[in-house]
Amino acid sequence: MSDFEDIELLTESDDESGQLYEHFRFVADAGQAPLRVDKFMFEKMQHSSRNRIQKAADAGFVHVNDHPVKSNYKVRPGDVVTLMLDRPRHDSTIEPEDIPLDIVYEDDQLMVVNKEAGLVVHPGAGNFHGTLVNAVAWHLRDLPTYDPNDPEVGLVHRIDKDTSGLLVVAKTPEAKTSLGVQFFNKTTHRSYLALVWANFQEDEGRIEGNIARDPRDRLRMTVLPPDSEQGKPAVTHYRVVERFGYVTLVECILETGRTHQIRAHMRHIGHPLFGDERYGGTEILRGNRSSTYKAFIQNCLALCPRQALHAQTLGFVHPTTHQQMDFTSPLPSDMDALIEKWRAYIKGTTNDTFEE
């Protein structure tokens, strides 16, 4: 279970035994300067919020050296800070679940899957079942050498829940090691198609900036200067594929693979992905404010109710045959329909019926 989920659900327990269970433990360094315990924990628990930590402290769930403390307690060197909740931690064991998979390629070493939008890749906060990992575990349930709970096999990389497209799964530790090294050395080939709010004048560009968690919204990433000591270095290249006046279809190629990299980078340059609610892409950022145009945008958002992002290509060297493997996934129906609607709009042939 993630720290975010632990604290979010602290008032929803059915356990009336009065027993507390340790969920997280942090030991302050010998050089720790006095620091409020809520701030200390906030810096350690990246998926939570300071407000929830304060609520946990108010409820008596934050302990220092085995005693409950309030949010204003100052952590000192050697202090043992624990989050004690009134229920055990969630069992994170991955169980096989019969969920359909679109398998593009499979052999005894690996499989390439075309993930549909809306499918969570890995169990986590609020999504402990019904994920791609559970589906893979079901598909490989008769393979005695594949243990879905063994980190040495399984998914080599991830994409967001509402992003569609290609992923590679390693069936053996050797395959995962080989593929992991390729991703680390940036020798894999990955490209994404994204519809963004922009009318790019240039045909291509490069975005560089460290990716870090946004302190104002822990579920969102932010972009910092490349020379910043915070966050992780990230580079995105983009190329214009088709222009629709107020939005543009671009191909994005990643040098790095950071969380929300394309989504955060595009927002950083003022061009969020169309339909990306978390990064402002559901607002009307280009075009007029007429009722007909607003209705058109709402119809577009209804057609593709997610960020318009698709992992289109994936290329790597096979771990055992050492052959180059390249895969391409066609646009899913929701993004295809969205792009067709924009094509019709700029040609003046849209069939939308607008309400004044």
Side-chain angles (χ1 to χ4, degrees):
M1 172 178 283
S2 77
D3 38 14
F4 177 87
E5 185 78 0
D6 281 332
I7 296 181
E8 183 177 44
L9 301 182
L10 65 85
T11 61
E12 299 181 10
S13 173
D14 294 326
D15 187 347
E16 298 179 356
S17 66
Q19 180 178 354
L20 294 180
Y21 303 85
E22 181 179 303
H23 282 231
F24 296 94
R25 169 182 290 257
F26 310 105
V27 180
D29 295 335
Q32 175 68 53
L35 182 68
R36 283 177 58 112
V37 69
D38 56 343
K39 187 173 182 182
F40 175 84
M41 295 180 70
F42 174 68
E43 292 176 352
K44 302 286 186 182
M45 303 170 71
Q46 64 174 4
H47 294 295
S48 189
S49 70
R50 194 168 176 182
N51 180 257
R52 287 198 175 96
I53 293 170
Q54 290 169 346
K55 287 181 179 179
D58 291 341
F61 293 137
V62 174
H63 290 205
V64 175
N65 303 326
D66 297 325
H67 298 287
V69 296
K70 296 302 181 183
S71 300
N72 61 357
Y73 174 86
K74 295 293 182 66
V75 176
R76 293 169 175 79
D79 276 350
V80 179
V81 180
T82 51
L83 176 65
M84 308 290 294
L85 298 184
D86 53 0
R87 67 193 177 281
R89 294 192 70 167
H90 181 84
D91 182 4
S92 59
T93 302
I94 296 169
E95 299 291 345
E97 295 180 37
D98 188 3
I99 300 168
L101 277 177
D102 180 5
I103 300 173
V104 177
Y105 174 84
E106 183 175 10
D107 61 26
D108 61 348
Q109 294 294 312
L110 57 88
M111 56 192 292
V112 176
V113 177
N114 188 28
K115 187 187 85 68
E116 64 180 25
L119 181 62
V120 177
V121 169
H122 197 279
N127 298 285
F128 298 113
H129 304 284
T131 73
L132 179 66
V133 166
N134 297 111
V136 170
W138 176 271
H139 179 74
L140 300 178
R141 65 192 183 280
D142 296 326
L143 185 63
T145 57
Y146 185 84
D147 178 359
N149 294 287
D150 183 356
E152 293 189 351
V153 295
L155 282 169
V156 182
H157 59 124
R158 302 184 186 187
I159 56 178
D160 297 334
K161 170 187 174 182
D162 289 327
T163 299
S164 54
L166 297 170
L167 288 164
V168 61
V169 179
K171 292 185 179 181
T172 68
E174 294 76 18
K176 189 164 186 181
T177 297
S178 172
L179 291 166
V181 168
Q182 293 180 55
F183 274 88
F184 180 80
N185 290 334
K186 306 173 186 176
T187 58
T188 58
H189 304 286
R190 288 179 291 164
S191 71
Y192 294 70
L193 283 178
L195 189 69
V196 302
W197 281 103
N199 186 13
F200 285 109
Q201 299 303 309
E202 67 276 15
D203 291 330
E204 58 186 31
R206 180 179 186 273
I207 310 169
E208 182 176 6
N210 288 12
I211 301 288
R213 197 161 296 278
D214 189 336
R216 294 169 296 182
D217 182 349
R218 304 292 282 180
L219 298 180
R220 187 172 66 187
M221 308 304 286
T222 190
V223 180
L224 303 170
D227 58 355
S228 172
E229 295 183 356
Q230 295 178 286
K232 296 181 179 179
V235 176
T236 302
H237 300 268
Y238 64 88
R239 178 183 66 84
V240 170
V241 176
E242 191 170 356
R243 294 180 172 88
F244 304 106
Y246 303 133
V247 297
T248 302
L249 182 65
V250 295
E251 178 189 32
C252 296
I253 298 175
L254 304 180
E255 279 192 23
T256 52
R258 310 303 183 195
T259 301
H260 295 187
Q261 178 172 323
I262 294 173
R263 299 166 67 188
H265 267 173
M266 283 299 174
R267 179 180 183 271
H268 178 64
I269 64 172
H271 305 308
L273 271 62
F274 188 88
D276 191 348
E277 183 175 10
R278 186 163 298 284
Y279 290 89
T282 54
E283 301 173 16
I284 298 178
L285 302 177
R286 299 287 190 280
N288 58 56
R289 293 295 186 267
S290 69
S291 59
T292 54
Y293 181 68
K294 289 179 181 178
F296 167 74
I297 295 300
Q298 290 306 312
N299 288 340
C300 286
L301 292 171
L303 267 181
C304 187
R306 64 176 178 103
Q307 67 259 14
L309 182 62
H310 177 64
Q312 182 186 37
T313 68
L314 174 64
F316 53 84
V317 174
H318 193 280
T320 55
T321 68
H322 306 297
Q323 297 296 310
Q324 178 67 35
M325 309 285 287
D326 293 295
F327 303 92
T328 300
S329 168
L331 274 177
S333 58
D334 58 352
M335 271 188 70
D336 189 51
L338 172 64
I339 291 168
E340 285 300 324
K341 184 170 283 293
W342 274 102
R343 284 194 183 113
Y345 179 80
I346 63 170
K347 292 177 181 178
T349 59
T350 180
N351 294 322
D352 282 305
T353 300
F354 299 116
E355 297 181 1
E356 293 292 345

